[in-house]
Amino acid sequence: MTSALELAADGIGSVEPNPAVGCLIEKSGRIIGRGKHERYGGPHAEINALADCRSRQADPEGATIYVTLEPCCHRGKTGPCSEAIIRAKPAGVVIAAQDPSAHADGAGIRQLREAGIRVTVGVCEAEARRLNAPFYHFVQTGKTWIVLKWAQSLDGKLARVDPTRNPWISGEQSRADAHRLRRRTQAILVGINTVLIDNPLLTPRPSGGRRPLRIVMDSDLRIPLNSQLLQTASDHPLLIVTDAQTLTREAGKAKEIERRGGQILTRKMDIEHGNLRPLQDELRTRGVQQLLVEGGPKTLGAFLEQGLANEVCVYIAPMVLGVEGCASLGTALARKVCQTPLCHLETKRLGPDLRLRGLTAPIT
Ligand SMILES: [Zn+2]
C-alpha cells in the first residue's frame, strides 16, 4: 500500500479536483500490474493497473489488488472501476480509505463483496487521507481547503525593497515547485498590493491545461487596467473582490473591468480587519476545492489571524536580506495567531532552498 500511495502522489498537480489514486496488483508475491490516476478526465488507477497487467500478459485472476481509494461504482468520466475489478476476478481487494463522496461512500466496497471478493478496508488509511486532504475536507465539510504559500529569506523578508534588480527571493527549483502547487488548486488569491508591486499573471506555468480562477482582494478597486491580470482576463478567469461602496464610486472602472472579461464580486467583507467568511461561501458555491493564497504579508496575515489556513508551504532561501528586504509576515500580523506548531511537517531541499510544508490541524 505504501508503494501504491507513492504512485498516487505522482498524480498531484494533474488530477485535481479528483483525488490522487494509486493501484498495485500482486500475485504470488510478484507485482503484475501498477497504475495511477494520471490526469483529470483520464482513466482511473485501477483501470490503468489492469491494463498494465494485460500488457505484461499476466492474469489478475486470483490476485490481490491494492488501491488507495475505494473503487468507484458510478459512471462518471470513465466506466465504473468496481465492474472492471469484478470482471478481472481477483481473490481480494485491499483499500486504504473509503470514498466519502455521496455517489460512493461504501457502495463500491459493497459491490465487490457481493461479487464474492474478499475486501479489506483501512490499510494506511491516515496516509491516504493526508495525501488527498483537500478532497476529503471539501467533501466532508463543504469548505475549501486553503493553502498559504510564500517565499522568504532567513531573516523573514518576503520581498526586496528594490525588486527591479532581482524580483525573486527563492531559486528556480522552488519557483517550478510553486507552479506545481498552482496546478493543484482551482483558485489563486492575492491582495491588491501584490498586483501593484509585482504585476503577476497568477497562471500555472506550464499550465497542464489548468486555468485556476485568479482572485484579487481589492477593496478600493485600484487594479490597473493595464495589469497583466486584466490583459489576460478573457482567457484566464479573474475575480476582483471589492466592497459595495467602492463599486458605486468607481462604476465606470468596474464596467471597464467587466468589459475586459474580469468579474466583480461585492460581498459584505471587511478584508483589512478580517472577515473572510463570505469569501469562503463564494468559493464553496463555485466548487473550489483548493485555494492557494500567495500574498502579500497583509493578505496572508488575514487568513492566519482568522484561522482559515489548512496548509502552509514556505520556501526559505539561504540568505539574509537585512535592509534590502521588506514585507515581513511577522510585522503584518496584528495578533499572535499560531499557538501550536504545524503538524505532518515535511521538509524538502529544492536547489539551495528549503521547502517547509505542514498542516494546521492533524489528520488521523
Ligand atoms: Zn474508478
Side-chain angles (χ1 to χ4, degrees):
M1 192 58 87
T2 308
S3 305
L5 282 165
E6 281 168 12
L7 258 178
D10 276 350
I12 297 284
S14 308
V15 300
E16 294 83 357
N18 282 350
V21 183
C23 180
L24 285 184
I25 305 175
E26 177 258 345
K27 196 172 174 179
S28 317
R30 219 163 49 83
I31 304 294
I32 57 167
R34 58 182 81 223
K36 62 172 187 256
H37 185 32
E38 285 176 12
R39 61 185 164 78
Y40 182 71
H44 289 176
E46 301 91 315
I47 304 298
N48 283 334
L50 287 168
D52 185 38
C53 219
R54 280 192 295 275
S55 72
R56 299 177 196 215
Q57 266 129 37
D59 184 359
E61 188 171 345
T64 303
I65 297 182
Y66 294 84
V67 60
T68 59
L69 183 75
E70 172 185 355
C72 66
C73 60
H74 67 289
R75 204 163 280 280
K77 284 184 177 291
T78 55
C81 293
S82 55
E83 289 175 14
I85 290 174
I86 291 166
R87 279 195 302 274
K89 300 194 181 79
V93 177
V94 182
I95 297 166
Q98 193 165 318
D99 182 346
S101 313
H103 56 69
D105 211 15
I109 294 169
R110 271 195 304 279
Q111 217 177 69
L112 295 176
R113 284 190 174 138
E114 278 161 17
I117 297 169
R118 191 182 66 241
V119 182
T120 311
V121 186
V123 175
C124 300
E125 184 173 352
E127 290 87 340
R129 293 171 65 87
R130 275 205 290 279
L131 179 70
N132 289 308
F135 165 78
Y136 283 97
H137 181 75
F138 191 67
V139 171
Q140 292 179 317
T141 68
K143 287 182 186 160
T144 299
W145 178 265
I146 298 177
V147 186
L148 306 189
K149 174 234 130 178
W150 69 88
Q152 67 168 52
S153 62
L154 286 178
D155 52 340
K157 310 287 173 66
L158 275 62
R160 289 175 200 269
V161 176
D162 176 12
T164 50
R165 207 160 41 104
N166 176 7
W168 311 109
I169 301 273
S170 54
E172 214 171 298
Q173 286 183 45
S174 294
R175 298 201 306 271
D177 188 77
H179 279 287
R180 187 183 190 214
L181 195 54
R182 282 182 177 177
R183 284 193 289 279
R184 239 178 73 181
T185 58
Q186 295 80 50
I188 301 169
L189 182 145
V190 294
I192 183 60
N193 286 328
T194 297
V195 176
L196 296 174
I197 296 165
D198 297 340
N199 189 19
L201 256 177
L202 299 182
T203 53
R205 295 186 292 278
S207 76
R210 300 311 175 94
R211 283 174 195 212
L213 175 69
R214 303 169 302 165
I215 305 174
V216 182
M217 305 300 272
D218 185 7
S219 50
D220 290 315
L221 217 56
R222 288 190 289 157
I223 185 167
L225 291 174
N226 62 356
S227 59
Q228 291 205 85
L229 287 174
L230 266 173
Q231 281 172 351
T232 53
S234 53
D235 293 327
H236 298 270
L238 174 67
L239 180 70
I240 319 275
V241 183
T242 191
D243 63 51
Q245 283 173 339
T246 305
L247 200 60
T248 319
R249 201 176 63 234
E250 300 279 356
K253 184 165 183 185
K255 220 171 167 178
E256 189 53 33
I257 289 172
E258 284 174 336
R259 197 184 66 77
R260 292 169 192 232
Q263 297 173 48
I264 293 180
L265 172 73
T266 51
R267 282 219 176 187
K268 213 171 162 35
M269 214 168 344
D270 182 351
I271 302 164
E272 212 142 314
H273 302 98
N275 177 17
L276 293 161
R277 308 246 170 221
L279 175 70
Q280 270 190 310
D281 294 341
E282 178 69 22
L283 293 171
R284 178 202 318 230
T285 310
R286 288 173 179 255
V288 172
Q289 188 191 86
Q290 292 192 62
L291 170 74
L292 178 64
V293 180
E294 292 206 4
K298 207 165 101 181
T299 306
L300 290 163
F303 279 86
L304 280 172
E305 289 189 334
Q306 288 175 59
L308 294 177
N310 300 101
E311 182 178 335
V312 173
C313 181
V314 186
Y315 300 91
I316 301 164
M319 57 175 142
V320 175
L321 287 176
V323 293
E324 282 188 21
C326 59
S328 131
L329 183 60
T331 52
L333 296 173
R335 60 187 171 93
K336 188 178 174 186
V337 291
C338 201
Q339 311 285 348
T340 48
L342 294 171
C343 48
H344 306 308
L345 211 59
E346 275 174 35
T347 53
K348 190 177 179 182
R349 275 289 295 274
L350 290 162
D353 303 338
L354 185 70
R355 186 189 71 188
L356 201 139
R357 253 173 77 179
L359 307 187
T360 54
I363 291 173
T364 49

